């Protein structure tokens, strides 16, 4: 049964949840919470120093203390509808309800109040009725160009009166009723005013921000706004058509068949590239896009947001979806609106009946309109890009073939690579003969390259790899092809594991040991093995007498070498902390990575990812031994791993040598198998 105490505990939470019905109300409520230390009905505001810009603060902004990259200071003032009382803390008194004319004075919109006198509007806003007045602040009037203000005040009975009537709606509209995307008929020739109510709590009317909303009066309500608004009669397409600076854009829109859309009803945001923006693009690239209807449409749709976004609504970088399907990062830096972090917006808030236009001086080309070469040039793979061109492969990367480009990051190269026939051949193996998505790849899949190789796909818990190369970034999907960015340069398989070992002198002792142990057939047959291959240095680290004895004993050699052979093919990119591999004989092998080095049972891999047709070889310069059987490791990926007791197991009281202990562990556990985890 619910107790009175439980109800009292829950009541403040219910008030918080149900009290904040709109984004603005939620932000206002948070500002009240942050201001309550100053007394009742005090709101905390964030102000940009040196300006009159103030914002009610949400939780994120409260902690970041930044608006458009500028640090803010916290100020406190009475929440809407309240005022101070001399000698008392906070704002304990509700503002007395007066008519709209006197409310204008009470909220500091004295210039608007003065102009209502001049235009003989005062009797109307003092008299009976229920009005909404979007009242420009004093600073808004001061910011008007002189010629516009002169034109208004020189004809107060017509121009000024009409301008003021356009700021009025013939009914009371609280912020709660100012819904996102709503339009309301003004009192000037039935022209609409256009409201946006954004998720960050900012409310705009014709892109003017409400800075003091919900100032109630006896005959309506006043919302103070930060600019003087003007009547809107043209749609977005008309705005573009009448401006000669948008002539190239106008032609492109017509060619792409988007004219009708921009004339129809909607709430679009168009980032309109000027003629100058088009001129910055290489002519060959521009001609290609203008001549390709699909690429052209994608490019133009990339400049159009699905929703109307006024400049004043942006206080931090925000990803917004375009009609093309991807997102633009729309942000601000001080007073400048930014796109994808660049201050390329030159004119903002050109309002139409179906949206808003912002002018930009740089053309935005989405990936979907780019060639593979353009994708590479726009990615962090400059070395690979240069080498593909030097290898004469740019014809494939600029054409209309359906291909996938595998582009290694710069770290994959040693630096100063010169073009050679071998490198040219290798680069041709990095272009796949079909257009793929990394999301469609599956384990064991084989991908055919232009150079004729078939590359294998390996799916691990932490990575997706093609041979020794692992995907290092999201796919970039171009007009005809896709680009995969990978972390390494391809190490193409050149033969079986046995072929690979025989071809390298550092494995000469190992090759002989494999022959003695009778394992050459295993390493030549089809399969998928991971071999932690001891180099000559590893064998030479064993005392001479013991090494000679070991190399003559086929049974011991077989046990030792099978402990270095893992089931399945595991490249270094598939190793994460505590990765386990089941050897062909013996206890599990535990792998980890530290400082970009792979460790197996605390032995570092000195050369990883030597790819073979039936497996992969990782060179080690020490013989791998089982981890101590009576301890559980905190970490297995470095020689400094901490140990702690796990169980107590009886051993002979005599001291065992390392080699005897190793043989005992091998023999006692040779029949145990652990499931392999990739």
């Amino acid at each position: 049964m619910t107790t009175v105490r439980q109800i009292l505990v829950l009541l403040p939470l219910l008030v918080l949840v149900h009290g904040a019905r709109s984004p603005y109300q939620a932000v206002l409520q948070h500002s009240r919470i942050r201001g309550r230390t100053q007394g009742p009905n005090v709101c905390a505001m964030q102000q940009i120093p040196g300006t009159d810009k103030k914002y009610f603060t949400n939780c994120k902004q409260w902690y970041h203390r930044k608006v458009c990259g500028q640090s803010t200071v916290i100020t406190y003032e009475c929440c809407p509808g309240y005022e101070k009382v001399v000698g008392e803390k906070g704002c304990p008194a509700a503002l007395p309800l007066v008519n709209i004319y006197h409310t204008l004075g009470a909220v500091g919109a004295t210039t608007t109040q003065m102009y209502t006198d001049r235009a003989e509007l005062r009797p109307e806003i003092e008299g009976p009725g229920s009005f909404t007045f979007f009242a420009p602040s004093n600073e808004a009037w001061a910011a008007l160009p002189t010629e516009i203000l002169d034109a208004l005040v020189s004809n107060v009975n017509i121009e000024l009166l009409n301008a003021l009537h356009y700021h009025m709606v013939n009914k009371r509209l609280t912020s709660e009723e100012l819904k996102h995307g709503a339009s309301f008929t003004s009192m000037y020739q039935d022209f609409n005013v256009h409201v946006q109510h954004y998720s960050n709590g900012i409310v705009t009317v014709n892109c003017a921000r409400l800075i003091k909303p919900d100032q109630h009066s006896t005959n309506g309500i006043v919302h103070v706004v930060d600019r003087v608004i003007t009547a809107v009669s043209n749609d977005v397409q008309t705005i573009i058509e009448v401006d000669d600076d948008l002539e190239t854009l106008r032609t492109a829109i017509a060619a792409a068949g988007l004219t009708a859309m921009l004339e129809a009803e909607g709430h679009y945001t168009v980032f309109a590239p000027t003629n100058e923006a088009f001129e910055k693009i290489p002519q060959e690239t521009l001609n290609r896009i203008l001549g390709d209807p699909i690429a052209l449409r994608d490019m133009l749709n990339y400049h159009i947001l699905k929703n109307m976004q006024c400049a004043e609504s942006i206080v931090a970088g925000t990803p917004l979806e375009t009609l093309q399907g991807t997102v633009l990062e729309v942000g601000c830096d001080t007073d400048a609106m930014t796109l994808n972090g660049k201050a390329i917006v030159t004119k903002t808030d050109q309002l139409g009946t179906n949206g808003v236009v912002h002018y930009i001086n740089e053309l935005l080309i989405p990936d979907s309109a780019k060639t593979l070469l353009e994708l590479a040039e726009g990615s962090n793979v400059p070395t690979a890009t240069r080498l593909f061109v030097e290898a004469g492969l740019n014809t494939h990367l600029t054409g209309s073939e359906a291909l996938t480009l595998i582009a290694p990051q710069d770290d994959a190269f040693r630096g100063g690579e010169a073009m050679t026939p071998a490198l040219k051949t290798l680069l041709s193996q990095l272009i796949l003969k079909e257009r793929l998505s990394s999301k469609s790849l599956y384990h064991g899949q084989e991908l055919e390259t232009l150079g004729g190789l078939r590359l294998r796909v390996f799916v691990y818990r932490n990575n997706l790899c093609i041979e020794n190369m692992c995907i290092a970034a999201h796919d970039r999907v171009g007009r005809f092809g896709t680009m995969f960015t990978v972390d390494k340069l391809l190490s193409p398989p050149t033969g079986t594991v046995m072929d690979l070992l025989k071809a390298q002198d550092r494995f000469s002792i190992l090759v002989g040991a494999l022959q003695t142990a009778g394992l050459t057939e295993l390493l030549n047959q089809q399969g998928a093995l991971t071999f932690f291959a001891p180099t000559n240095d590893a064998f030479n680290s064993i005392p001479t007498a013991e090494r000679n004895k070991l190399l003559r004993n086929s049974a011991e050699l077989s046990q030792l070498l099978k402990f270095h052979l893992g089931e399945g093919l595991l490249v270094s990119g598939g190793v994460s902390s505590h990765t386990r591999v089941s050897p062909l004989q013996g206890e599990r092998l535990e792998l980890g990575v530290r400082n970009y080095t792979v460790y197996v049972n605390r032995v570092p891999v000195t050369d990883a990812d030597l790819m073979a047709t039936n497996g992969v070889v990782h060179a080690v310069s020490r013989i791998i031994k089982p981890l101590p059987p009576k301890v559980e490791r905190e970490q297995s990926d470095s020689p400094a791993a901490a140990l702690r007791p796990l169980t107590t197991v009886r051993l002979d009281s005599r001291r065992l040598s390392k080699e005897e202990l190793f043989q005992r562990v091998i023999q006692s556990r040779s029949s145990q198998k652990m499931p392999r985890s990739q």
Side-chain angles (χ1 to χ4, degrees):
M1 183 176 179
T2 303
T3 66
V4 173
R5 182 182 296 274
Q6 288 173 319
I7 293 174
L8 291 175
V9 169
L10 290 172
L11 188 57
L13 180 61
L14 294 172
V15 171
L16 286 174
V17 171
H18 293 288
R21 295 180 296 273
S22 69
Y24 164 72
Q25 289 293 333
V27 171
L28 175 64
Q29 190 174 74
H30 183 268
S31 291
R32 292 178 71 104
I33 292 171
R34 294 298 181 184
R36 63 189 172 190
T37 56
Q38 307 299 310
N41 305 314
V42 175
C43 282
M45 308 286 289
Q46 288 200 74
Q47 182 172 6
I48 300 174
T51 75
D52 60 349
K53 283 193 169 184
K54 295 180 182 180
Y55 297 83
F56 292 109
T57 176
N58 61 28
C59 188
K60 182 178 180 181
Q61 291 168 340
W62 176 262
Y63 289 108
H64 283 193
R65 300 286 170 90
K66 285 193 174 181
V67 170
C68 290
Q70 300 177 91
S71 296
T72 59
V73 295
I74 300 299
T75 63
Y76 297 95
E77 59 184 55
C78 293
C79 296
Y82 294 90
E83 65 178 353
K84 293 181 176 295
V85 174
V86 177
E88 296 191 35
K89 188 177 181 181
C91 304
L95 283 170
L97 278 181
V98 292
N99 59 48
I100 285 179
Y101 176 81
H102 292 292
T103 301
L104 291 173
V107 299
T110 54
T111 304
T112 298
Q113 186 184 46
M114 176 188 68
Y115 285 143
T116 63
D117 277 322
R118 289 195 186 181
E120 299 182 358
L121 183 62
R122 179 174 177 174
E124 186 174 355
I125 59 176
E126 281 186 326
S130 183
F131 309 108
T132 297
F133 202 142
F134 297 104
S137 66
N138 294 348
E139 294 77 12
W141 287 106
L144 269 185
T146 304
E147 62 274 13
I148 295 178
L149 187 58
D150 288 346
L152 291 174
V153 299
S154 64
N155 191 349
V156 293
N157 293 326
I158 299 177
E159 296 297 337
L160 183 58
L161 181 62
N162 289 343
L164 292 172
H165 268 148
Y166 184 64
H167 289 75
M168 295 176 63
V169 175
N170 197 13
K171 61 180 175 179
R172 183 192 304 263
L173 296 169
T174 66
S175 63
E176 198 70 30
E177 295 162 300
L178 298 177
K179 305 295 185 182
H180 192 66
S183 294
F184 299 97
T185 303
S186 77
M187 294 175 64
Y188 168 58
Q189 295 186 4
D190 292 338
F191 279 105
N192 283 343
V193 292
H194 305 275
V195 171
Q196 305 297 320
H197 194 141
Y198 297 98
S199 60
N200 60 4
I202 289 176
V203 184
T204 65
V205 54
N206 284 26
C207 287
R209 181 168 69 93
L210 275 62
I211 55 177
K212 291 184 179 179
D214 292 338
Q215 307 294 328
H216 290 270
S217 68
T218 56
N219 59 344
I221 193 167
V222 173
H223 305 290
V224 180
V225 295
D226 68 352
R227 72 180 73 168
V228 179
I229 62 175
T230 56
V232 178
S233 58
N234 292 331
D235 56 43
V236 165
Q237 179 61 28
T238 303
I239 294 173
I240 295 170
E241 284 180 352
V242 299
D243 194 335
D244 289 341
D245 201 26
L246 302 178
E247 181 180 358
T248 308
L249 174 62
R250 182 164 62 247
T251 303
I253 287 173
L258 297 178
T259 302
M261 180 188 76
L262 296 180
E263 291 174 337
E265 289 186 7
H267 298 92
Y268 302 113
T269 300
V270 179
F271 293 102
T274 61
N275 298 340
E276 175 194 358
F278 281 95
E279 290 166 2
K280 292 178 181 179
I281 301 299
Q283 195 62 46
E284 182 180 355
T285 301
L286 187 57
N287 289 342
R288 176 183 62 78
I289 295 175
L290 293 176
D292 181 345
I294 294 176
L296 177 60
R297 193 177 184 91
D298 269 3
M299 184 186 73
L300 293 175
N301 279 335
Y302 188 56
H303 290 75
I304 305 173
L305 301 181
K306 287 186 171 182
N307 297 297
M308 184 170 155
Q309 208 73 37
C310 297
E312 280 295 325
S313 70
I314 303 295
V315 295
T318 307
L320 299 173
E321 189 175 358
T322 68
L323 293 185
Q324 182 258 348
T326 55
V327 298
L328 281 175
E329 178 80 12
V330 182
C332 52
D333 184 6
T334 313
D335 292 328
M337 195 175 188
T338 62
L339 287 182
N340 293 340
K342 300 171 73 175
I344 61 174
V345 181
T346 58
K347 188 191 295 186
T348 61
D349 294 342
Q350 305 304 298
L351 193 64
T353 55
N354 60 345
V356 65
V357 178
H358 307 295
Y359 288 40
I360 57 176
N361 62 10
E362 192 171 298
L363 193 64
L364 307 173
I365 303 179
D367 283 358
S368 61
K370 292 180 179 179
T371 64
L372 279 172
L373 183 59
E374 289 166 348
L375 290 179
E377 289 171 341
S379 302
N380 191 26
V381 289
T383 302
T385 305
R386 172 178 62 82
L387 292 174
F388 281 123
V389 173
E390 290 180 6
L393 296 169
N394 52 313
T395 54
H396 294 290
L397 305 184
T398 57
S400 58
E401 296 175 87
L403 301 171
T404 300
L405 176 68
I406 303 174
Q409 296 173 321
D410 268 16
D411 291 345
F413 298 93
R414 294 185 175 87
E417 280 78 9
M419 186 53 57
T420 63
L423 181 55
K424 182 175 180 179
T425 299
L426 180 63
L427 291 169
S428 71
Q429 311 295 3
L430 296 178
I431 302 177
L432 305 176
K433 282 188 173 182
E434 57 184 315
R435 179 173 182 165
L436 298 166
S437 163
S438 63
K439 293 181 180 180
S440 67
L441 300 182
Y442 56 89
H443 194 74
Q445 185 178 6
E446 292 190 349
L447 313 174
E448 188 176 358
T449 72
L450 286 183
L453 276 184
R454 298 187 71 84
L455 305 181
R456 298 162 294 182
V457 175
F458 306 114
V459 178
Y460 302 107
R461 188 176 299 276
N462 67 316
N463 237 330
L464 173 64
C465 305
I466 301 172
E467 294 296 335
N468 62 305
M469 309 173 293
C470 297
I471 304 294
H474 292 296
D475 298 1
R476 297 200 60 182
V477 181
R479 174 67 179 90
F480 298 105
T482 302
M483 189 182 88
F484 296 161
T485 302
V486 294
D487 60 350
K488 297 181 182 70
L489 189 61
L490 175 65
S491 175
T494 55
T496 65
V497 169
M498 199 66 206
D499 293 334
L500 190 153
L501 297 174
K502 286 180 178 179
Q504 300 192 30
D505 291 340
R506 58 177 167 167
F507 296 121
S508 59
I509 298 176
L510 174 60
V511 170
L514 290 166
Q515 292 169 341
T516 301
L519 296 177
T520 56
E521 183 179 350
L522 173 67
L523 300 185
N524 273 321
Q525 66 188 20
Q526 288 185 352
L529 296 171
T530 299
F531 196 0
F532 299 98
T535 61
N536 292 348
D537 289 342
F539 283 102
N540 289 332
S541 66
I542 303 173
T544 304
E546 295 177 16
R547 180 177 70 247
N548 292 338
K549 180 181 177 183
L550 173 66
L551 294 176
R552 290 193 297 269
N553 189 324
S554 61
E556 287 188 18
L557 271 179
S558 178
Q559 289 178 346
L560 178 92
L561 296 175
K562 285 183 178 180
F563 187 63
H564 287 69
L565 276 164
E567 297 176 351
L569 198 157
L570 178 64
V571 299
S572 62
V575 177
S576 59
S577 59
H578 304 299
T579 298
R580 293 180 177 181
V581 172
S582 292
L584 298 188
Q585 188 163 343
E587 186 61 39
R588 66 179 179 267
L589 298 171
E590 292 219 13
L591 286 78
V593 180
R594 178 167 294 181
N595 296 329
Y596 305 103
T597 298
V598 174
Y599 288 83
V600 51
N601 283 18
R602 292 190 238 157
V603 173
V605 172
T606 57
D607 193 3
D609 298 332
L610 307 174
M611 305 304 294
T613 55
N614 60 343
V616 62
V617 173
H618 305 296
V620 292
S621 56
R622 285 162 43 195
I623 299 296
I624 300 172
K625 298 179 181 180
L627 292 166
K630 295 183 292 298
V631 295
E632 179 180 352
R633 298 170 315 286
E634 297 286 350
Q635 295 287 339
S636 66
D637 57 359
S638 83
L643 305 175
R644 70 168 182 262
L646 176 62
T647 56
T648 302
V649 180
R650 292 186 60 188
L651 285 177
D652 293 343
S653 59
R654 65 185 178 88
R655 181 182 298 276
L656 299 178
S657 69
K658 291 181 179 178
E659 288 71 23
E660 289 173 314
L661 178 61
F662 174 55
Q663 291 300 327
R664 172 170 292 194
V665 171
I666 289 291
Q667 292 168 5
S668 65
R669 298 177 179 262
S670 61
S671 62
Q672 299 179 21
K673 293 287 183 182
M674 295 293 295
R676 178 173 61 86
S677 172
Q678 291 186 343

